């Protein structure tokens, strides 16, 4: 009897699992969810790069933008900063993030890694790994594999306990093990192959019930799917005919480095790449990043990765849609989804329609979808397809969900563009209504050189990361020199120089307490040699070299062994040379202010004042939260290099003194292959001036801001700025596809129904705003882009009035691009409508 009951309970439990759980498998065409092949659009959002209060909004905007899946890495060093001590609180609350994605009805791709690269400190590895005896990371090495397995299992079990795998009814449909190991594995010799096989079977043995992928791993063993990363992945073929073609990283821009100009990637090129991928058989594509966000604290990798991880992603650093990128990709996703039935039904048949023009058709007896591509980097084309004529701009793809009507062309943007600016907010203080964060500062001077009882002496120069274990960015190398006047380096005509060779990343040299100069590596080449001209006095001279790391290496074979700091030689040179390298040095890890916890504002050491241009200074002030709810940042103009804390939380390293090169920012065309340095802006300017201050970190009054400045600045110059909309624009031609909303598919006939003409549509981003003015309007042949439109030879005289009437006072307005609306200004010419408007609060 008891046995029978138990059996019934077991059967019931089994049925419940089967009913709520979703079966995720794959075949050669696609990821298969509950027996159905799916065309999936995914986007990366890394949970610690925003604040938990932002997550829901980011996920909603992703859904609205047409994503099915949110992808995130899991960041090992964030969750296990100390071995066996886990942390999943606040921004580290992975379970909460995954559940929010589920609540929105989206899927999750969980890239456990646990090596992640990601421009994240040490590629996501906790630094303590490095100190485990006998360990070699990312290869067939027992100590490493034991740690990797422990952490991977920890995460998988955590997800299982919360029932977050699709097999349990949760949102996770895919997981990733390792990351791009194939790119560097040849450096690890034969052990690499056995490591890959081990990683694959370790992952599969964890029994998640959903498929695992390895990216850039062409030898990924079954059942792991090998996937592609890159700016383009059309033509990628997985290593088995049973695996689908998947693109795990489509880089929507590129990361910014301190000292570099700001990279961007035109949406015409991204949408071209995506459309080409689905055209050529792909069924899963992920934007890396869909929202890049901010590298708070010391989370940046590098070295030299900036605090902003904006990435030119469809959602900007602060979470707002970047237009027209977000909107144009949303249109693309709808177009692809209109093709889903045909895409999953069959393989494409591709034919050439002429030089550099090809058509791919997905056709069965009941459905047909086609992609027409012009891969020429210069010449537009007109082609015949299925008895109709189609215009294809250079480097563009048209999507025809019924093999007849073009609903989308990657180079023809229907969605609106916006111009956003960060505008100074006035802060009321007792003295004035100024734009500065504060005029009321206190400060503490950080001692130059050794100040701690924990300092230690050692003969010779030490490597920095092995010494600090990344507990601080800072390591003092100090030595005293007694000058009697007969030293060899004082002889001869030449000036005395101090020659320093360092593995990087930054060095500040102090002689007798004064900052003499700095040396800075550059992204890609953090090491440097520098000759500092110096003057020594008779008697004792104190040489204090402050060596800094700016984010630890995150990429490359054996990246974890890349050293930093002054490994020498250090020489004094004049007439002849004295090598100081093997002498006795005194070392101090970290700063006194760090040991005292000055970042959170405590301590009785603060004195009133804000001395300018003073190296090694801590500054503190209090402030009220700037009003409103628009994204908030601090403009650090006036400061040099350092770190900033708001109410004790680090908003990251700041470095407005590091200026991008003056050249390399010329006009860039979306046509032709993209690369990280093709499209750059901000040449000759600080790489990063604005630093995100999450609103959720603020109270209404009495917030504490602390800065640590290394080279000298003026804190009274820094200001709060908020992100404001300057203009809304749209420029749509009569020749554009109809607006995406106009296309709907009749379920029974599968015919596309057309409901309108090409049109301009504008919408103020906030519900409490309305269009307040029309700055420009032209129907005819207007030129230029948002912010700098100009009239062409042909223009209707009524456009401005008509648009003012249609738009002002409303949040949204839609205007058909046709001579019926505006009258005919020039017969026989293809015309377009360009509008620039502004929004204001609806009062
Ligand atoms: C890839 C890597 C990512 C990220 C990206 C560049 O190689 O997998 O984690 O680092 O490059 O942003």
């Amino acid at each position: 009897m008891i046995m029978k009951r138990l059996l019934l309970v077991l059967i019931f439990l089994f049925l419940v699992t089967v009913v709520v759980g979703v079966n995720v498998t794959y075949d050669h065409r696609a990821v298969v969810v509950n027996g159905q092949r799916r065309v999936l659009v995914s986007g990366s959002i890394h949970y610690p790069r925003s604040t938990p209060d932002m997550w829901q909004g980011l996920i909603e905007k992703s859904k609205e933008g047409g994503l099915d899946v949110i992808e995130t890495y899991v960041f090992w060093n964030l969750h296990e900063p100390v071995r066996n001590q886990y942390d999943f609180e606040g921004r580290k609350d992975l379970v909460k993030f995954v559940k929010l994605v589920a609540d929105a009805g989206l899927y999750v791709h969980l890239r456990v890694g646990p090596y992640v690269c990601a421009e994240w400190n040490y590629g996501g590895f906790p630094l303590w790994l490095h100190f485990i005896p006998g360990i070699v990371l990312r290869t067939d090495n027992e100590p490493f594999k034991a740690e990797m397995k422990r952490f991977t299992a920890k995460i998988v079990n955590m997800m299982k306990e919360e029932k977050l795998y699709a097999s349990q009814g949760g949102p996770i449909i895919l997981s990733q093990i390792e990351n791009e190991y194939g790119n560097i594995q040849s450096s690890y010799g034969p052990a690499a192959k056995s490591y890959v096989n081990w990683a694959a079977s370790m992952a599969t043995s964890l029994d998640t019930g959903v498929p695992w992928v390895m990216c850039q791993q062409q030898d990924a063993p079954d059942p792991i799917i090998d996937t592609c990363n890159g700016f383009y992945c059309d033509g990628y073929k997985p290593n088995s005919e049973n695996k689908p073609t998947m693109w795990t990283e489509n880089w929507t821009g590129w990361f910014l480095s301190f000292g570099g100009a700001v990279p961007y990637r035109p949406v015409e090129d991204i949408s071209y790449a995506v459309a080409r991928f689905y055209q050529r058989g792909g069924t899963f594509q992920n934007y890396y990043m869909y929202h890049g966000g901010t590298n708070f604290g010391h989370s940046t990798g590098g070295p030299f990765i900036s605090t902003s991880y904006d990435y030119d992603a469809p959602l900007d650093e602060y979470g707002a849609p970047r237009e027209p990128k977000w909107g144009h990709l949303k249109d693309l996703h709808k177009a692809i989804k209109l093709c889903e039935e045909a895409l999953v039904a069959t393989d494409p048949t591709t034919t050439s329609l002429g030089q550099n023009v090809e058509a791919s058709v997905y056709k069965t007896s009941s459905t047909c979808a086609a992609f027409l591509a012009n891969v020429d980097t210069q010449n537009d084309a007109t082609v015949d397809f299925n008895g109709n004529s189609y215009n294809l701009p250079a480097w563009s793809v048209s999507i025809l969900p019924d093999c007849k009507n073009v609903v989308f062309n990657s180079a023809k943007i229907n969605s609106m563009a916006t111009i956003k600016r960060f505008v100074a907010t006035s802060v009321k203080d007792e003295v004035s209504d100024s734009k500065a964060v504060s005029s009321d500062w206190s400060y503490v001077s950080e001692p130059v050189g050794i100040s701690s009882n924990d300092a230690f002496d050692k003969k010779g120069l030490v490597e920095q990361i092995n010494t600090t274990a990344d507990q601080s960015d800072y390591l003092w190398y100090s030595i005293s020199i007694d000058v009697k006047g007969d030293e060899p380096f004082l002889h001869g005509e030449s000036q005395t120089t101090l020659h320093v060779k360092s593995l990087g990343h930054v060095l500040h040299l102090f002689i007798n307490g004064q900052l003499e100069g700095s040396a800075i590596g550059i992204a890609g080449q953090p090491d440097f040699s520098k000759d500092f001209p110096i003057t020594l006095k008779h008697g004792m001279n104190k040489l204090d070299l402050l060596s800094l790391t700016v984010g630890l290496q995150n990429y490359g074979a054996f990246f974890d062994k890349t050293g930093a700091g002054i490994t020498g030689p250090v020489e004094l040179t004049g007439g002849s040379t004295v090598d100081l390298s093997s002498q006795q040095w005194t070392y101090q890890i970290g700063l006194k202010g760090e040991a005292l916890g000055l970042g959170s504002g405590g301590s009785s050491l603060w004195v009133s004042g804000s001395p300018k241009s003073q190296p090694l200074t801590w500054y503190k002030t209090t402030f009220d939260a700037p009003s409103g709810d628009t994204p908030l940042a601090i403009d650090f103009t006036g400061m040099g290099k350092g770190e900033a804390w708001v109410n004790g939380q680090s908003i990251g390293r700041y470095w407005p003194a590091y200026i991008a090169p003056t050249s390399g920012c010329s006009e860039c065309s979306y046509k032709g292959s993209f690369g990280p340095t093709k499209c750059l802006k901000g040449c000759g300017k600080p790489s990063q001036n604005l630093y995100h201050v999450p609103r959720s970190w603020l109270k209404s009054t009495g917030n504490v801001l602390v800065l640590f400045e290394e080279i000298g600045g003026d804190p009274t110059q820094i200001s709060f700025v908020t992100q404001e909309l300057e203009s809304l624009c749209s420029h749509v031609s009569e020749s554009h596809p109809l607006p995406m909303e106009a296309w709907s598919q009749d379920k029974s006939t599968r015919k596309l129904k057309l409901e309108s003409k090409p049109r301009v549509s504008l919408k103020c981003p906030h519900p409490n705003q309305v269009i307040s003015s029309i700055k420009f309007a032209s129907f005819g042949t207007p030129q230029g882009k948002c912010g700098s439109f100009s009239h062409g030879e042909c223009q209707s005289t009524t456009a401005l009035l008509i648009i003012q009437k249609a738009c002002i006072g409303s949040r949204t307005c839609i205007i058909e691009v046709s001579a019926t609306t505006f009258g005919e200004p020039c017969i026989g010419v293809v015309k377009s409508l360009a509008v620039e408007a502004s929004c204001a609060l609806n009062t």
Side-chain angles (χ1 to χ4, degrees), residues 745-773:
Q745 212 162 23
D746 186 308
K747 281 260 177 313
S748 53
T749 62
R750 290 204 176 77
K751 288 235 166 76
L752 289 171
K753 294 194 286 191
L754 319 183
E755 284 152 9
S756 77
K757 296 226 161 92
R759 64 198 194 195
V760 152
S761 59
L762 300 171
K763 183 178 186 184
C764 298
H766 293 289
N768 56 355
Q769 288 177 327
V770 290
I771 294 169
S772 54
S773 75

Side-chain angles (χ1 to χ4, degrees), residues 550-562:
V550 190
L552 302 192
Q553 188 78 29
N554 60 268
Y555 183 71
F558 300 105
F559 74 85
D560 50 291
K561 296 198 169 145
T562 318

Side-chain angles (χ1 to χ4, degrees), residues 52-235:
D53 68 297
M54 293 169 69
W55 291 346
Q56 195 182 349
L58 294 174
I59 294 163
E60 273 164 13
K61 280 176 215 127
S62 306
K63 184 176 184 176
E64 203 188 327
L67 299 195
D68 307 292
V69 184
I70 303 292
E71 177 275 349
T72 183
Y73 282 129
V74 179
F75 299 88
W76 189 356
N77 53 12
L78 200 69
H79 295 304
E80 200 182 348
V82 176
R83 197 176 180 191
N84 284 317
Q85 286 181 25
Y86 295 100
D87 184 356
F88 291 94
E89 297 296 311
R91 274 189 298 122
K92 305 166 198 145
D93 195 344
L94 173 61
V95 166
K96 177 172 177 180
F97 181 77
V98 172
K99 285 186 174 169
L100 283 172
V101 178
D103 291 348
L106 300 184
Y107 295 128
V108 170
H109 177 198
L110 194 68
R111 301 171 86 196
V112 182
Y115 164 69
V116 297
C117 193
E119 290 68 73
W120 192 264
N121 197 43
Y122 215 46
F125 282 149
L127 205 86
W128 50 257
L129 275 181
H130 175 73
F131 296 101
I132 292 177
I135 204 163
V136 188
L137 308 189
R138 301 183 80 197
T139 189
D140 193 357
N141 167 275
E142 295 306 326
F144 174 68
K145 288 189 302 181
E147 293 301 319
M148 172 164 164
K149 181 175 178 181
R150 189 177 50 77
F151 182 73
T152 308
K154 165 91 188 169
I155 295 300
V156 167
N157 290 335
M158 206 169 155
M159 298 299 115
K160 278 190 189 170
E161 270 162 33
E162 300 283 343
K163 304 229 175 316
L164 293 177
Y165 284 103
S167 49
Q168 306 170 292
I172 306 173
I173 55 162
L174 290 165
S175 275
Q176 179 179 298
I177 194 75
E178 250 293 346
N179 191 76
E180 293 193 334
Y181 189 64
N183 289 2
I184 46 97
Q185 87 180 68
S186 61
S187 309
Y188 290 81
K193 180 78 189 157
S194 44
Y195 168 61
V196 169
N197 291 339
W198 168 83
S201 59
M202 184 272 286
T204 6
S205 75
L206 295 173
D207 223 2
T208 58
V210 301
W212 286 91
V213 309
M214 282 182 163
C215 60
Q216 296 290 95
Q217 193 67 51
Q218 289 199 334
D219 59 356
D222 293 345
I224 313 276
I225 309 165
D226 56 312
T227 66
C228 178
N229 291 351
F231 288 110
Y232 307 90
C233 276
D234 57 283

